């Protein structure tokens, strides 16, 4: 079956980016001039995804507004002859994917947010895309997972080698031999292990391709770490019943869900954005001399 559907969980409180995220959804924080969630939707589109469910929560209305039209703004841009900006604005509404929204009433964990997509997914294989992680590679990471699925028909989770001292921030896999250069069998999936208990340095990085059987498991999943329904625990259970592979990502990953990563990503993207790259490069060079 073709992978056509994606879930973007966007109900989190964004505590790592406070106070900016007190009233503003963290998904709307811009990288140069584009909200992070737009990068995710564009990755989905570029990977052949047709339908996207965004799981939102309180204070998240700005996300829906961003992907909606804004007639007053568009009229103004037209009247004042700002055709470039008009095109940029209208493109967001005409992305060519169907967007759906549902709300998670309580922050009850990633597993709970995903479970809310059960009837949307309706028995098809699907992807989950976490908004904190922006990925850069020749082929979008979501498309890489879909290509794996087309060969294996199995769930596949994206992982990446991270510095050992950082493993406790992630879901981590215990690899069990590879079936292709970048595709591993997995013994266990462990959510946020202590650094000395981590089975490897291969961390889950926010792109998952799952078969719909995950919902049967999430339905009965007990509360885990932090009193939340943990997606990683459900994936570990599913791996005991059907194969779940890990795909090692070799591109670049930017974690925009914390202050330092957000700043680094903004600089990196600012250095390639046509409107900012020359001036920013000059500024950084001068700043480097002073530091
Ligand atoms: C979530 C997942 C974790 C994964 C991480 C990737 O954690 O629970 O397994 O490694 O995303 O960004 P969070 O960052 O929401 O705490």
């Amino acid at each position: 079956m073709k992978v056509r559907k994606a879930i973007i969980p966007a109900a989190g409180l964004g505590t790592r980016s406070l106070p900016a995220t007190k009233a503003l959804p963290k998904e709307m924080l811009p990288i140069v001039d584009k909200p992070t969630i737009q990068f995710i939707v564009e990755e989905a589109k570029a990977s052949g995804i047709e339908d996207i469910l965004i799981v939102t929560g309180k204070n998240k209305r700005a996300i829906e507004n961003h992907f909606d039209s804004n007639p007053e703004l568009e009229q103004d841009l037209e009247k004042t002859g700002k055709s470039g900006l008009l095109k940029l604005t209208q493109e967001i509404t005409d992305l060519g994917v169907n967007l759906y929204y549902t709300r998670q009433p309580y922050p009850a964990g990633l597993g709970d947010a995903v479970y809310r997509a059960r009837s949307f997914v309706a028995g098809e294989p699907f992807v989950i895309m976490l908004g904190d992680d922006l990925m850069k590679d020749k082929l979008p990471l979501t498309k890489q997972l879909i290509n794996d699925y087309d060969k294996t028909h199995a769930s596949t989770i994206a992982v990446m080698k991270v510095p050992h001292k950082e493993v406790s921030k992630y879901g981590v896999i215990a690899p069990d031999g590879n079936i292709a250069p970048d595709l591993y069998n997995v013994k266990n999936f462990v959510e946020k292990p202590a650094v000395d208990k981590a089975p490897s340095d291969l961390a889950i990085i926010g792109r998952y391709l799952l078969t719909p059987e995950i919902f049967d498991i999430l339905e009965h999943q007990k509360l885990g770490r932090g009193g939340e329904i943990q997606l990683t625990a459900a994936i570990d259970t599913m791996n005991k019943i059907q194969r779940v592979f890990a795909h090692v990502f070799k591109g670049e990953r930017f974690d925009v869900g914390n202050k330092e990563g957000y700043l680094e990503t903004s600089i990196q993207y600012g250095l390639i954005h046509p409107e900012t790259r020359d001036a920013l490069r000059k500024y950084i060079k001068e700043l480097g001399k002073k530091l």
Side-chain angles (χ1 to χ4, degrees):
M1 200 184 270
K2 190 169 177 280
V3 182
R4 310 183 301 115
K5 293 181 180 177
I7 305 172
I8 304 178
L13 297 175
T15 42
R16 281 177 287 203
S17 304
L18 278 169
T21 45
K22 183 165 176 266
L24 181 78
K26 69 169 174 175
E27 295 78 11
M28 289 303 296
L29 290 174
I31 302 301
V32 187
D33 55 5
K34 196 188 281 187
T36 56
I37 193 160
Q38 192 180 329
F39 286 94
I40 307 291
V41 171
E42 287 174 357
E43 180 187 328
K45 167 89 184 357
S47 303
I49 294 295
E50 296 164 14
D51 294 341
I52 302 174
L53 178 71
I54 303 182
V55 184
T56 69
K58 282 161 202 66
N59 279 336
K60 301 281 185 170
R61 270 331 238 298
I63 298 175
E64 288 174 53
N65 291 341
H66 181 68
F67 291 105
D68 195 358
S69 65
N70 184 338
E72 202 181 358
L73 172 68
E74 287 164 35
Q75 268 164 28
D76 184 74
L77 293 174
E78 200 165 0
K79 227 175 29 203
T80 49
K82 295 183 178 133
S83 55
L85 290 176
L86 180 64
K87 188 165 169 274
L88 205 68
T89 308
Q90 288 174 333
E91 271 169 5
I92 305 167
T93 323
D94 303 326
L95 279 172
V97 281
N98 301 314
L99 294 179
Y100 302 86
Y101 299 90
T102 191
R103 275 167 83 141
Q104 184 191 33
Y106 305 100
L110 183 57
D112 177 74
V114 169
Y115 188 70
R116 288 174 192 279
R118 187 174 198 165
S119 58
F120 165 81
V121 165
E124 298 187 22
F126 67 101
V127 294
I128 303 171
M129 307 175 74
L130 302 189
D132 284 349
D133 295 312
L134 301 190
M135 311 293 183
K136 240 167 74 198
D137 205 351
K138 279 196 211 86
L139 199 63
L141 176 53
T142 298
K143 181 66 180 152
Q144 295 179 25
L145 296 181
I146 292 173
N147 288 349
D148 288 338
Y149 177 84
D150 288 342
K151 291 186 205 114
T152 63
H153 298 285
S155 297
T156 305
I157 314 300
V159 298
M160 190 172 194
K161 204 165 164 24
V162 296
H164 183 64
K165 60 180 188 331
E166 288 177 21
V167 286
S168 57
K169 293 198 284 188
Y170 298 96
V172 176
I173 66 159
D176 193 13
N178 52 329
I179 62 156
D182 292 332
L183 203 60
Y184 282 80
N185 276 306
V186 180
K187 230 179 286 167
N188 296 107
F189 293 83
V190 194
E191 181 67 6
K192 305 202 171 97
V195 171
D196 57 339
K197 298 252 164 55
S200 77
D201 294 344
L202 289 170
I204 298 173
I205 51 161
R207 298 292 182 278
Y208 310 72
L209 192 156
L210 292 169
T211 55
E213 287 77 28
I214 195 72
F215 292 108
D216 299 333
I217 296 161
L218 282 171
E219 187 179 1
H220 303 291
Q221 184 73 37
K222 300 219 169 55
L223 295 182
R225 216 174 182 284
E228 297 186 336
I229 308 274
Q230 291 298 341
L231 178 64
T232 305
I235 292 171
D236 189 55
T237 305
M238 191 159 83
N239 188 38
K240 312 264 186 296
I241 306 162
Q242 55 171 254
R243 293 173 310 166
V244 180
F245 294 117
H247 170 108
V248 183
F249 180 55
K250 295 283 172 59
E252 276 183 278
R253 166 179 173 262
F254 299 95
D255 180 358
V256 296
N258 67 76
K259 290 170 196 180
E260 193 190 318
Y262 177 74
L263 284 173
E264 285 170 7
T265 314
S266 299
I267 293 169
Q268 291 288 346
Y269 279 67
L271 285 170
I272 51 174
H273 191 297
E275 279 175 48
T276 55
R277 64 186 170 206
D278 295 340
L280 185 61
R281 178 178 299 268
K282 194 162 158 254
Y283 173 71
I284 291 173
K285 278 190 181 156
E286 274 160 23
L287 187 64
K289 283 183 215 149
K290 283 192 215 145
L291 293 176

